């Protein structure tokens, strides 16, 4: 039996509420003075009375891991610091996504604080593909003493071979490693095969940050100047959220602190991008993941690959403004391309029988949007998804996204090792691949077998987990503020979700591109405003119209709606269901 009796909602999901143990834990937490709604959310997150205070106020000093717990960290930090002191020529080779751009910017700002400038190199997604390539590394090695590869490089054996004897190479990465390491001075990666896996959830920017923490420690021990790292946490927060790292433990603490730094609007690039994105109100994880992140990614997806890294690294307000406007325009173009590919890919995916994997492929699909479309398929069908753009040379370049509990990167890596792919790799939740068009169906069949061994596809439609019930009168600005104190929310840390029983839709109207604005009432004077995004595609519009004013159980997440300087409470509507009769 579902929560409030809901076993099949408008979106086809069963609602699951707190169990008896969570109810008891919530009541105990509430005795400390917290609202019961907040206590229910904490209980659902596994927080109890003894840990509630620390959870609501996480400290970096308590959660930051020892950088030296990662292999090769000591030599990497020493080589980087020494290169800065000696005035050596340093090149930074970065991936073209947000994590790569933020990782590169961290190094640029740190070196700049020591009076050094580095060469920034970001490969073209289409012409060069992901990660270091031999021609680029050869050119950099001829003109530099040290090459630092960020968010890439762990599998770049051939590329780094050309640098031997010319320049040292350091890798600061988080993608899955192979049985052997490339020829580099240091490979710092929590996902190396010889690591414990305790820090496998870190994004590359956090690995870079830890390297700078260790470099600063070594510098202080030697009596040298050490740049301020706390001011750089806005970059770490941005990368953590945009790379969909779980907001747990140290990641959560880094993002909370980074959001505070971001409020100061001190970094020209992020300040300009926030303005271009028309970001309103204090920054949140939502803004990082859905407003700033996609715009930075747009450069690597369909524009010049280095735009994002340049934006995050610039000290010039004029350059920041120009870059931000360019990225905003590219993001609009990306959205149009994405919409076309999503429609075609969804049609292919929905035609497939239930299984451990959904995949779609199409001629000319832009490689810059296949990852986003894979995310759309994964969210809609709750199965790992692969989307591939087929190219004129007879190969396909694709991206894959996974669901919780399924290690996609390991399966893609094994698929490559078995010869099904020309190239493939990634991490647990995301991966990239290149495949011969003639082997595509066989490769996807084999990938389905590997994923099925991990339980992919067995869950069926996702349950909708609800923290508890509320009445419209409880949905106040004060409560929303108290709930936000339990954030930030994102991957691995879902925002609180509440059900409002037996409400009626007093009025509704279409807004934007397929969204629905609704005002609910419980029959009294109180109202609950709600917004349902993509309501037509999800079935919510049809369900609300069919109810014709009859009672509906309503579920979603409370938030503050800011419009023309005014704030009001709004429900981000995710589902509705007819009460059992």
């Amino acid at each position: 039996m579902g929560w409030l009796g809901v076993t099949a909602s408008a979106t086809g999901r069963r609602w699951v509420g707190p169990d008896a143990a969570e109810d008891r834990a919530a009541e105990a937490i509430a005795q400390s003075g917290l609202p019961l709604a907040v206590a229910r959310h904490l209980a659902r997150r596994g927080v109890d009375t003894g840990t509630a205070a620390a959870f609501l106020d996480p400290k970096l000093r308590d959660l930051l891991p020892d950088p030296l717990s990662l292999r090769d960290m000591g030599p990497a930090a020493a080589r980087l610091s020494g290169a800065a002191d000696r005035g050596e020529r340093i090149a930074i080779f970065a991936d073209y996504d947000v994590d790569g751009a933020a990782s590169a910017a961290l190094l640029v700002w740190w070196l700049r604080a020591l009076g050094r400038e580095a060469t920034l190199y970001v490969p073209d997604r289409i012409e060069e593909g992901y990660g270091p390539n031999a021609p680029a590394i050869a050119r950099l090695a001829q003109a530099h003493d040290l090459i630092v590869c960020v968010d890439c490089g762990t599998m770049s054996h051939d590329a780094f071979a050309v640098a031997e004897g010319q320049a040292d190479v350091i890798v600061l990465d988080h993608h899955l490693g192979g049985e052997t390491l490339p020829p580099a001075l240091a490979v710092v990666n929590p996902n190396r095969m010889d690591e414990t896996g305790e820090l496998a959830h870190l994004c590359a920017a956090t690995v870079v940050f830890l390297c700078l923490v260790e470099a600063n420690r070594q510098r202080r021990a030697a009596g040298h100047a050490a740049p301020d790292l706390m001011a750089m946490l806005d970059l770490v927060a941005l990368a953590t959220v945009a790379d969909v790292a779980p907001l747990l433990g140290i990641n959560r603490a880094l993002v909370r602190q980074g959001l505070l730094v971001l409020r100061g609007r001190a970094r020209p690039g992020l300040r300009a991008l926030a303005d271009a994105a028309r970001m309103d109100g204090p920054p949140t994880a939502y803004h990082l993941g859905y407003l700033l992140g996609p715009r930075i990614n747009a450069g690597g997806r369909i524009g010049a690959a280095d735009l994002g890294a340049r934006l995050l690294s610039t000290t010039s307000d004029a350059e920041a403004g120009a870059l931000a406007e360019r990225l905003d325009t590219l993001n609009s173009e990306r959205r149009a391309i994405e919409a076309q590919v999503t429609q075609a890919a969804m049609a292919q995916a929905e035609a497939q029988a239930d299984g451990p994997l959904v995949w779609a492929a199409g001629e000319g699909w832009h490689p810059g949007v296949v990852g986003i479309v894979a995310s759309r398929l994964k969210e809609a069908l709750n199965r790992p998804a692969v989307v591939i753009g087929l190219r004129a040379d007879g190969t396909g370049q694709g991206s894959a996204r996974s669901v919780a509990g399924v290690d996609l990167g390991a399966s893609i890596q094994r698929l490559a090792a078995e010869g099904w792919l020309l190239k493939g790799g990634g991490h647990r939740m995301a991966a990239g691949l290149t495949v011969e068009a003639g082997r595509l169906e066989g490769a996807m069949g084999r990938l389905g077998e590997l994923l099925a061994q991990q339980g992919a596809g067995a869950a069926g439609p996702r349950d909708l987990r609800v923290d508890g019930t509320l009445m419209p009168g409880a949905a106040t600005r004060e409560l929303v503020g108290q709930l936000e104190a339990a954030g930030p929310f994102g991957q691995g840390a879902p925002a609180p979700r509440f059900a409002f029983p037996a409400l009626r839709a007093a009025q509704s109207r279409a807004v934007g591109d397929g969204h629905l604005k609704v005002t609910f009432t419980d029959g009294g004077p109180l109202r609950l405003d709600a917004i349902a995004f993509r309501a037509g595609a999800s079935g919510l519009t049809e369900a609300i119209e069919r109810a014709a004013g009859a009672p509906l159980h309503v579920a979603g997440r409370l938030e503050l709606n800011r419009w023309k300087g005014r704030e009001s409470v709004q429900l981000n509507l995710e589902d509705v269901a007819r009460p059992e009769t």
Side-chain angles (χ1 to χ4, degrees):
M1 178 64 70
W3 182 251
L4 296 178
V6 179
T7 56
S9 67
T11 62
R13 291 183 283 186
R14 180 182 66 138
W15 292 7
V16 179
D19 56 28
E22 289 174 339
D23 281 338
R24 290 192 296 270
E27 291 170 1
I29 295 171
Q31 291 178 5
S32 66
L34 288 173
L36 184 58
V38 178
R40 286 193 179 281
H41 177 68
L42 296 182
R44 169 138 289 191
R45 295 282 298 273
V47 178
D48 57 28
T49 54
T51 58
F55 181 87
L56 292 172
D57 188 22
K59 303 294 186 184
L60 281 178
R61 64 173 179 266
D62 299 328
L63 296 169
L64 194 71
D66 180 358
L68 293 177
S69 64
L70 290 171
R71 296 178 185 274
D72 283 0
M73 181 63 86
R79 183 67 182 88
L80 177 63
S81 180
D85 288 338
R86 292 186 292 271
E88 295 184 37
R89 301 165 299 172
I90 302 172
I92 301 169
F93 190 108
D95 188 23
Y96 34 66
D97 69 358
V98 177
D99 196 13
S103 297
L106 281 167
L107 288 173
V108 169
W109 284 99
W110 186 85
L111 289 167
R112 190 175 287 153
L114 297 175
R116 306 298 179 191
E117 288 291 334
T119 300
L120 177 63
Y121 189 94
V122 182
D124 182 88
R125 178 187 289 265
I126 296 176
E127 297 297 326
E128 298 176 83
Y130 167 79
N133 59 85
I137 294 297
R139 291 193 300 271
L140 292 174
Q142 291 172 2
H144 298 85
D145 306 297
L146 176 64
I147 302 172
V148 185
C149 291
V150 294
D151 197 27
C152 58
T154 300
M155 301 290 288
S156 302
H157 297 75
D158 293 340
F160 293 159
V162 304
E164 290 188 278
Q166 297 188 74
D168 287 334
V169 176
I170 293 172
V171 174
L172 303 174
D173 193 12
H174 72 135
H175 292 88
L176 289 173
E179 293 184 0
T180 60
L181 296 173
L185 174 72
V187 178
V188 184
N189 184 338
N191 284 296
R192 279 174 46 162
M193 292 190 70
D194 55 354
E195 285 286 4
T196 63
E198 293 180 4
L199 300 177
H201 60 290
L202 302 183
C203 70
T206 301
V207 176
V208 173
F209 181 77
L210 290 175
C211 183
L212 298 181
V213 169
E214 174 58 20
N216 273 6
R217 187 197 66 79
Q218 294 180 11
R219 296 183 65 81
R220 292 191 185 98
H224 296 163
D228 177 18
L229 295 181
M230 294 297 288
M232 302 182 191
L233 286 177
D234 52 348
L235 297 171
V236 180
L238 172 65
T240 299
V241 174
D243 215 54
V244 202
L247 298 187
L248 305 171
I250 183 57
N251 284 347
R252 179 169 174 269
L254 288 167
V255 171
R256 280 177 67 99
Q257 187 62 42
L259 288 170
L260 292 177
V261 175
L262 191 59
R263 285 189 181 191
R265 292 172 56 89
R267 199 169 308 283
L270 287 177
R271 180 172 62 247
L273 192 63
D275 293 341
R278 296 160 292 283
M279 197 174 94
D280 59 343
T284 66
Y286 168 84
H287 294 124
L288 298 180
Y290 291 94
L291 290 184
L292 303 185
R295 285 167 170 79
I296 295 171
N297 266 332
R301 293 188 187 282
I302 63 171
D306 65 348
L307 289 177
R310 286 169 54 198
L311 175 80
L312 298 180
S313 302
T314 185
T315 60
S316 164
D317 287 334
E319 183 182 26
L323 289 171
E325 289 299 330
R326 175 62 176 149
L327 287 169
D328 189 54
T329 299
L330 286 172
N331 189 55
S332 297
E333 296 175 11
R334 184 272 305 168
R335 291 175 63 182
I337 297 170
E338 174 199 330
Q340 295 174 351
V341 176
T342 297
Q343 184 177 12
M346 191 66 74
Q348 291 186 33
E350 289 178 342
Q352 298 172 21
D354 291 342
L357 170 73
V358 292
W359 65 277
E363 296 282 351
W365 286 359
H366 198 293
V369 303
V370 292
I372 306 173
V373 177
S375 293
R376 298 272 187 257
L377 265 59
K378 181 261 294 188
E379 289 296 326
L381 303 173
N382 196 34
R383 285 182 281 168
V386 182
V387 177
I388 298 166
L390 300 175
R391 302 186 291 197
D393 63 0
T395 65
Q397 183 176 346
S399 289
R401 298 294 183 268
S402 192
V403 296
V406 178
D407 189 340
L408 179 63
S411 295
I412 291 286
Q413 191 165 300
R414 180 170 174 182
L415 205 65
E418 292 177 353
W420 286 103
L421 305 177
L422 296 173
K423 185 169 61 173
H427 49 81
R428 293 185 65 88
M429 299 301 293
L433 57 93
T434 304
V435 60
E436 293 179 356
R439 306 204 72 190
L440 177 56
E441 289 200 20
M444 293 300 98
R446 176 57 178 152
L447 179 58
E449 293 174 0
L450 294 173
L451 295 176
Q453 294 172 10
Q454 299 186 53
R462 288 175 299 161
D463 290 334
L464 189 78
R465 297 187 66 83
V466 179
D467 290 76
T469 57
L470 290 175
M471 300 306 291
T476 64
R477 291 174 57 187
E478 180 183 14
L479 176 63
V480 174
Q482 291 167 324
L483 290 169
E484 288 179 347
F489 306 115
Q491 178 68 26
R497 181 187 291 117
F498 295 98
F500 294 80
L503 301 185
R504 288 176 168 81
Q507 57 184 3
S508 64
R509 59 185 175 88
V511 295
D513 185 15
H515 312 318
L516 188 70
K517 190 81 172 176
V518 191
T519 298
F520 291 103
T521 176
D522 62 356
L526 297 177
R527 298 288 190 268
L528 179 65
D529 292 328
I531 179 74
F533 295 103
R534 294 188 291 274
S538 68
L540 290 179
T541 297
E542 181 183 357
I544 291 171
E545 290 177 349
R546 191 187 308 121
L552 288 171
H553 295 327
V554 172
R557 308 174 193 272
L558 291 172
E559 60 189 19
L560 287 181
N561 179 39
R562 296 178 174 90
W563 177 251
K564 295 183 177 180
R566 300 169 62 183
E567 288 186 344
S568 60
V569 176
Q570 175 177 268
L571 182 71
N572 188 326
L573 181 63
E574 297 177 276
D575 209 352
V576 300
R578 296 290 294 268
E580 286 192 343
T581 57

